[in-house]
Amino acid sequence: MKPIRRVVSGHDERGRSVIAMDSEIGNLIGDDHEAAGALTLAELWSTAEMPIDNSGARDQARHAGCQARGALIRFVHCHRA
């Protein structure tokens, strides 16, 4: 499978749109097709509560899953047999 690229937009100090993050996803679950079966998953974004504060530089895909009052965006790839 090709690497998955994630681009996250944000705002600079003047309120203009900027690219905040641009990288390959490193937290793939099921990258080993034999062990994972038919799926590969990657968390792209997760939050602990709503509404969220996007003012910092914290990578929102780097903490553990969805919280009770939050949200989760996950990439799911189904492999063909």
Side-chain angles (χ1 to χ4, degrees):
M1 189 166 113
K2 290 183 181 181
I4 301 166
R5 181 173 163 214
R6 180 178 67 128
V7 178
V8 178
S9 62
H11 297 92
D12 66 14
E13 57 281 345
R14 295 183 292 180
R16 295 165 65 184
S17 296
V18 296
I19 300 298
M21 295 174 212
D22 183 351
S23 61
E24 289 182 5
I25 297 296
N27 58 345
L28 291 178
I29 302 165
D31 203 19
D32 176 3
H33 303 296
E34 294 297 321
L39 294 176
T40 297
L41 307 172
E43 285 194 13
L44 302 178
W45 198 260
S46 58
T47 64
E49 59 188 10
M50 296 295 277
I52 61 172
D53 178 5
N54 283 334
S55 61
R58 182 174 179 213
D59 187 345
Q60 292 295 117
R62 301 288 183 227
H63 63 85
C66 187
Q67 307 298 314
R69 300 186 57 109
L72 174 65
I73 300 173
R74 182 175 281 160
F75 169 85
V76 179
H77 176 76
C78 298
H79 304 286
R80 294 185 180 158

